Amino acid sequence: MTTASDGPKKLFIKTYGCQMNVYDSQRMAEAMGAEGYVLTEDQSQADMVLLNTCHIREKAAEKLYSDLGRLKPLKAERPDLKIGVAGCVAQAEGDEIIRRMPIVDLVVGPQAYHRLPAMVKKGGGVDTEFPVEDKFEHLPKAPATRRAPAAFLTVQEGCDKFCAFCVVPYTRGAEVSRPVSRILTEARDLVARGVREITLLGQNVNGWHGEGPGGGEWGFGRLIRAIAEIDGLDRIRYTTSHPNDMADDLIEAHGSEQKLMPYLHLPVQSGSDRILKAMNRKHTAEEYLRLIDRIRAARPDIMLTSDFIVGFPGETDEDHRATLKLVEEVGFGTAFSFKYSPRPGTPAYDRPEVESVLADARLQELQALLSRQQKAAQEGMVGRELSVLFEKPGRNDGQMVGKSDYLHAVFVEAPEAKVGDLVRVRITHSAANSLAGELLAA
Ligand code: 5AD
Ligand code: SF4
């Protein structure tokens, strides 16, 4: 019989979905760490299993129930095993989850996870409240352990844009920006623990705004410049953005701030004005293209990435061709494309759907085009001199792997190097999903 071993209690976390969930899982692990829990990679050894869920598409949400089904035998063997569901499915479905899957002990929404330790002590429950205060302030401070060289930092949460297909405004709530001082304190703390690259996170991160230390309103560009002043921090990235919040000061920061990496994820979703309107995106394809021109004028070597939805209700072949045309015009470094998934509670939910096989065919066509562009962008790196931040040893002896300025994984022979080194590399080779490079003299 499998039993959790003696010693500290073990917590197993499975994270689904976006980078914000990755960050949240880390903060929940720290909160539970203060209660004496240590992380385990082995679910069968855990005293508590926490599933941090995603609700963005139906498939993502259904994964939770198949994983819970697989946990049933473990719970039957060890009734004291605590099972928790966190994240956006928790928010959307609340106690319905426990009704459908009685093996679940607790359900905690993304705005309530600072109360997770108290819930665990109580033995379970459901908490999907939206607190008005900054939940991050109520989490115990992380122990001063060393961190991997690249880290996430949530600066903004929630979304007020209400795109017609999207659950985020309902699961994550209204837009909230964290205050400047708290962001700077967390960034400095990360750097003190060995972090050299920070990715600022938010569902609508470039909509971040806040009061500066000397009063006066700061926009996201100003925040980036303040973070860039931290000694020991070398790279800044951010994700994910809305085209309508690309303010002038942010575009300018892409030109002037060397620590801001030449990489921008800017979802457009569709290239058809009719569909953009039906999606409530509040911009046209032309406005997006002109915005890209301005961003490229500020930072000519920037790599652009995006998100697309195909088969949105009402999408015709002509709309689809407009999307392909926009992709041809921009030339993306990489992009995520999804088949539309109707989500309960969203404005588009009841609209007549595009025939499934048609949507599948469009998705294939779009993905083929995007893969060609991705391959071309990657091959275009060969011969270039880039910086690489080493994140872990590679498969072969003496090899390290890290990320380039453009977020490509790069393998480098570097027997003397250690994790956290930021080196100059000449790219020599492009493979399926990674690059190879050789060290240049420092
Ligand atoms: N169906 C398909 N894709 C969706 N996305 C958001 N909601 C849906 C949906 N209902 C995609 C969008 C968004 C990304 C995070 O997920 O492209 O930018
Ligand atoms: Fe969802 Fe992004 Fe639209 Fe907000 S801006 S509703 S998070 S797709």
Side-chain angles (χ1 to χ4, degrees):
M1 176 171 147
T2 353
T3 46
S5 54
D6 292 338
K9 291 201 165 191
K10 297 200 181 75
L11 171 65
F12 174 87
I13 304 185
K14 177 164 176 182
T15 307
Y16 312 64
C18 68
Q19 285 142 325
M20 189 153 305
N21 268 9
V22 175
Y23 176 86
D24 286 353
S25 289
Q26 208 152 29
R27 298 298 302 259
M28 285 191 276
E30 286 167 357
M32 294 305 293
E35 303 293 317
Y37 280 81
V38 296
L39 278 181
T40 174
E41 308 260 295
D42 181 357
Q43 183 170 277
S44 68
Q45 290 298 308
D47 298 278
M48 178 170 170
V49 171
L50 193 58
L51 305 172
N52 193 9
T53 59
C54 172
H55 201 241
I56 199 96
R57 284 169 292 276
E58 194 182 356
K59 264 198 196 131
E62 280 306 313
K63 247 190 230 152
L64 166 68
Y65 289 103
S66 51
D67 283 352
L68 284 173
R70 276 195 290 275
L71 275 168
K72 270 187 195 162
L74 196 62
K75 179 84 170 185
E77 240 179 64
R78 301 207 335 254
D80 56 338
L81 169 72
K82 287 260 168 300
I83 297 180
V85 176
C88 294
V89 181
Q91 188 64 42
E93 296 185 4
D95 49 13
E96 182 58 34
I97 297 174
I98 299 185
R99 262 197 296 276
R100 195 167 152 186
M101 280 289 177
I103 59 164
V104 174
D105 300 285
L106 60 95
V107 174
V108 59
Q111 305 306 331
Y113 65 63
H114 52 301
R115 292 193 288 266
L116 176 65
M119 287 175 81
V120 174
K121 268 190 209 141
K122 238 178 45 192
V126 176
D127 189 344
T128 52
E129 291 298 306
F130 279 87
V132 279
E133 75 276 15
D134 183 350
K135 70 183 169 203
F136 300 113
E137 286 312 293
H138 294 264
L139 287 167
K141 208 170 148 19
T145 45
R146 236 185 132 64
R147 292 283 296 264
F152 294 130
L153 199 175
T154 293
V155 301
Q156 181 278 333
E157 255 196 285
C159 184
D160 297 338
K161 294 274 191 285
F162 291 93
C163 296
F165 49 80
C166 186
V167 290
V168 167
Y170 314 98
T171 53
R172 290 275 174 169
E175 278 183 29
V176 177
S177 294
R178 293 182 69 197
V180 174
S181 59
R182 292 184 186 157
I183 296 169
L184 289 176
T185 304
E186 193 170 326
R188 286 192 198 102
D189 175 61
L190 287 171
V191 173
R193 293 196 275 146
V195 169
R196 300 185 73 172
E197 171 179 315
I198 292 181
T199 301
L200 305 173
L201 294 181
Q203 261 94 27
N204 202 1
V205 72
N206 57 339
W208 180 94
H209 57 94
E211 195 183 320
E217 180 84 350
W218 279 19
F220 189 54
R222 183 72 191 83
L223 178 69
I224 287 177
R225 283 201 292 278
I227 294 173
E229 281 169 21
I230 300 173
D231 280 338
L233 180 68
D234 297 289
R235 291 171 149 194
I236 301 170
R237 305 179 189 277
Y238 63 91
T239 199
T240 180
S241 310
H242 193 287
N244 291 356
D245 285 323
M246 285 305 298
D248 291 346
D249 78 323
L250 177 56
I251 297 178
E252 227 170 82
H254 275 283
S256 59
E257 188 43 70
Q258 286 313 304
K259 291 186 182 180
L260 185 56
M261 291 293 98
Y263 180 102
L264 175 61
H265 183 65
L266 197 58
V268 62
Q269 315 295 357
S270 169
S272 153
D273 288 346
R274 235 171 46 80
I275 295 299
L276 287 168
K277 193 158 194 298
M279 285 176 163
N280 194 32
R281 291 289 294 180
K282 299 202 173 81
H283 63 77
T284 63
E286 184 62 22
E287 280 161 354
Y288 183 82
L289 292 169
R290 297 298 73 86
L291 174 62
I292 300 293
D293 289 343
R294 287 170 56 219
I295 296 165
R296 281 186 167 147
R299 185 75 206 239
D301 64 342
I302 199 160
M303 189 169 112
L304 290 154
T305 76
S306 199
D307 290 343
F308 294 90
I309 295 178
V310 302
F312 187 75
E315 188 187 67
T316 61
D317 267 337
E318 192 183 341
D319 295 317
H320 175 59
R321 281 198 301 278
T323 298
L324 298 175
K325 182 161 167 274
L326 178 138
V327 172
E328 294 278 12
E329 278 187 47
V330 175
F332 290 100
T334 177
F336 301 97
S337 46
F338 312 98
K339 182 172 159 181
Y340 170 69
S341 164
R343 307 304 291 132
T346 60
Y349 182 60
D350 292 324
R351 298 184 195 166
E353 280 179 54
V354 168
E355 212 188 321
S356 186
V357 284
L358 201 58
D360 286 333
R362 287 179 190 162
L363 185 63
Q364 263 189 14
E365 193 180 8
L366 175 61
Q367 289 185 339
L369 172 60
L370 291 167
S371 322
R372 286 199 296 279
Q373 292 194 343
Q374 175 171 346
K375 190 158 181 276
Q378 235 185 256
E379 284 169 356
M381 297 290 156
V382 175
R384 285 186 62 178
E385 291 179 13
L386 302 174
S387 74
V388 174
L389 178 61
F390 286 145
E391 291 184 1
K392 56 185 182 202
R395 276 183 295 270
N396 304 337
D397 238 16
Q399 195 183 49
M400 295 292 270
V401 58
K403 296 280 165 59
S404 77
D405 316 48
Y406 299 99
L407 222 46
H408 288 125
V410 185
F411 288 83
V412 184
E413 289 308 314
E416 313 280 300
K418 29 183 216 318
V419 168
D421 285 357
L422 183 67
V423 296
R424 295 294 297 169
V425 164
R426 178 178 296 106
I427 305 300
T428 53
H429 183 72
S430 169
N433 282 310
S434 62
L435 297 168
E438 60 192 18
L439 271 185
L440 294 170

